[in-house]
Amino acid sequence: SEFDKAIKINPMYAQAYAIRGSVYKEKNNLDQAILDINKAIDINPEYANAYFLRGFIYFLKNNYDQAISDLNKAVEFNPKYAEAYGLRAATYSKKGNYDQVISDSNKVIDINPKYAEAYILMADSYSKKGSYDQAISECNHAIEINPKYAEAYGLRADCYSKKENYDQAVSDYTKAIEINPRLAVAYYKRGVAYDSKGSYTVAVYDYNRAIEINPKYAEAYYYRGKNYSKKENYDQAIFDFSKAISINSNNALFYYNRGLAYLFKNKDFEQAISDFTKAITINPRDILAYCERGSAYVMKNKYDEALSDFNKAIEINHNYVQAYVGRGGVYGAKGVFDQAISDFNKAISINPDCVDSYVGRSLAYYSKHEYDKAWDDIHKAESLGYKSFLPAFLEALKKTSGREK
């Protein structure tokens, strides 16, 4: 009301409009805030703070191009406006223009070397560009300025995880949690780091804590489900994947991993196929889902459907070994042994150590009565550590080939 009175007394009082606009922003009445700031700018077209404020509001409304336009004006009229460069950097980050983020963050630091948030904006951009060492260096600067900067420890931990330095990642996530014990994302990511170290039990504790803080944390349920799958606790895994899906039904990985759990739990091929199909609907280029659905179709003797899925996987990635192995198996089951051998040959040309290719090809050679070649593949598979040939197959090969090995 004081600003209303000031404006009534002096309708050309630009600062009063700007401050009232700021109050509306704090009350989340963004459209009214813009109207007041527009008025301030009409009165004073070189009012840098008004452009900054309006740019901030456009940022909050996800209108990033308009935000950048206003922030350009703010720094034009005040070239030393560190906060404007900082907000413009954050806006460029939202648009994925990481080089511009780094440029603007450097401008902020030139003006104010103690601006910790600018180092974090720059670190985040370096991380997204894959320059993890540089990102870590920028995080170090931010932490030096503000030793209680939980997000800086979290981002540095993310970079260490990307570099597979999980011990250091755990240490930094722990530091972030010490600073902010309610930081659910730090528990979740520390759990992922523990999982990567093989510390599955400790990881579950962290996922539990993240979920306790944020019961809608879909990714925490998902990773806890993957953890349970590794421990062959498929009932709990399915529960967690289902919970993640109930929170976010548009994530292909949630369905894909639940499908695997159904397969491993009790060979529930129908439910697995349903989940793989859902994953493919969400992500039509999900090569893993095509291959797993193809394998499930094989187990149900639906060879044409399986063949279609492996063909699609190969169409997506011409060098995906398991797709050729799967398709070779389908051709073998259909009695098209030359085509089966061709697919196994292709898989071996891509990965000479693919055991499944030699196993499948040995069966195809046996079916074509090319027994010496079958033995060669058996020996190769065994040299790669395979010890699961069916005794009945080996006995039949010995009998028909006249060889013992």
Side-chain angles (χ1 to χ4, degrees):
S1 61
E2 293 301 320
F3 299 118
D4 293 341
K5 291 176 183 177
I7 291 167
K8 186 174 182 180
I9 295 168
N10 181 4
M12 300 301 288
Y13 193 175
Q15 188 177 7
Y17 284 106
I19 296 174
R20 191 172 70 177
S22 180
V23 171
Y24 280 127
K25 178 182 78 68
E26 294 304 316
K27 293 182 176 182
N28 204 36
N29 189 345
L30 302 184
D31 291 333
Q32 186 60 53
I34 288 175
L35 291 176
D36 268 358
I37 298 164
N38 288 346
K39 184 65 176 176
I41 291 170
D42 286 343
I43 297 167
N44 180 2
E46 296 185 5
Y47 194 168
N49 287 354
Y51 285 108
F52 171 80
L53 184 56
R54 192 171 67 180
F56 196 175
I57 293 169
Y58 281 126
F59 177 86
L60 295 175
K61 290 168 70 70
N62 301 322
N63 187 342
Y64 300 126
D65 289 334
Q66 188 60 54
I68 289 170
S69 177
D70 274 349
L71 294 167
N72 289 345
K73 284 289 189 181
V75 298
E76 176 187 342
F77 296 122
N78 181 1
K80 296 294 185 180
Y81 203 158
E83 291 80 2
Y85 285 111
L87 181 55
R88 193 171 69 176
T91 309
Y92 278 124
S93 181
K94 292 289 188 180
K95 288 171 64 68
N97 188 340
Y98 302 122
D99 289 333
Q100 191 62 52
V101 175
I102 292 167
S103 175
D104 272 356
S105 298
N106 277 320
K107 287 188 176 74
V108 174
I109 292 164
D110 287 341
I111 298 167
N112 179 4
K114 296 296 184 181
Y115 202 124
E117 291 80 2
Y119 289 102
I120 290 305
L121 280 167
M122 195 152 46
D124 182 62
S125 289
Y126 278 124
S127 174
K128 286 171 178 170
K129 284 163 65 72
S131 300
Y132 302 120
D133 289 333
Q134 186 64 46
I136 289 168
S137 176
E138 303 303 340
C139 289
N140 292 344
H141 287 305
I143 291 167
E144 182 180 343
I145 295 166
N146 179 5
K148 296 295 185 180
Y149 200 163
E151 289 76 9
Y153 286 103
L155 179 54
R156 190 171 70 175
D158 292 346
C159 295
Y160 281 125
S161 284
K162 293 288 187 180
K163 288 166 62 68
E164 299 184 4
N165 185 345
Y166 299 117
D167 289 334
Q168 190 60 55
V170 166
S171 175
D172 271 356
Y173 287 131
T174 300
K175 185 66 177 177
I177 289 166
E178 289 172 358
I179 296 168
N180 181 0
R182 300 288 298 173
L183 195 58
V185 66
Y187 286 103
Y188 155 67
K189 290 184 175 180
R190 189 174 70 175
V192 175
Y194 275 129
D195 257 337
S196 300
K197 283 163 54 71
S199 302
Y200 303 128
T201 301
V202 182
V204 167
Y205 166 82
D206 274 350
Y207 298 138
N208 291 345
R209 186 74 179 108
I211 290 165
E212 179 184 333
I213 296 168
N214 179 7
K216 296 294 186 180
Y217 207 150
E219 290 78 9
Y221 284 106
Y222 167 67
Y223 270 92
R224 191 174 70 177
K226 288 184 68 176
N227 185 300
Y228 283 127
S229 284
K230 291 173 187 173
K231 295 189 288 189
E232 300 183 5
N233 185 347
Y234 298 118
D235 286 330
Q236 187 61 52
I238 289 168
F239 173 86
D240 275 350
F241 294 137
S242 298
K243 185 66 176 179
I245 290 167
S246 73
I247 298 167
N248 178 6
S249 61
N250 199 38
N251 189 312
L253 285 173
F254 297 171
Y255 290 98
Y256 170 75
N257 280 275
R258 189 174 69 175
L260 290 179
Y262 278 122
L263 280 182
F264 294 138
K265 176 190 173 186
N266 56 8
K267 301 188 185 305
D268 188 343
F269 300 118
E270 288 296 340
Q271 186 60 56
I273 288 169
S274 174
D275 273 352
F276 296 142
T277 299
K278 184 63 176 178
I280 290 166
T281 301
I282 296 168
N283 178 12
R285 295 186 65 79
D286 191 338
I287 193 168
L288 295 176
Y290 281 110
C291 284
E292 291 297 343
R293 190 174 70 175
S295 297
Y297 279 134
V298 169
M299 299 305 295
K300 290 177 64 64
N301 298 321
K302 294 185 175 182
Y303 299 125
D304 290 338
E305 291 89 338
L307 197 60
S308 176
D309 273 353
F310 291 124
N311 286 340
K312 184 63 178 179
I314 291 167
E315 177 187 323
I316 295 169
N317 182 351
H318 295 298
N319 291 312
Y320 193 62
V321 170
Q322 290 305 317
Y324 288 103
V325 173
R327 192 172 70 175
V330 174
Y331 281 128
K334 289 169 68 74
V336 188
F337 301 118
D338 287 336
Q339 189 61 55
I341 290 169
S342 176
D343 273 350
F344 293 131
N345 289 344
K346 179 65 176 178
I348 291 167
S349 73
I350 299 168
N351 179 9
D353 292 333
C354 180
V355 172
D356 292 340
S357 300
Y358 294 104
V359 173
R361 195 171 66 177
S362 70
L363 294 169
Y365 278 135
Y366 169 79
S367 298
K368 284 172 60 66
H369 311 298
E370 297 183 32
Y371 304 126
D372 289 340
K373 290 181 178 180
W375 278 116
D376 288 343
D377 276 351
I378 288 171
H379 296 153
K380 181 62 177 179
E382 289 175 340
S383 75
L384 293 170
Y386 188 78
K387 300 178 180 179
S388 301
F389 283 105
L390 293 174
F393 167 60
L394 293 177
E395 286 303 316
L397 181 56
K398 290 176 184 178
K399 181 176 180 180
T400 54
S401 67
R403 292 173 51 178
E404 286 300 308
K405 60 180 181 178

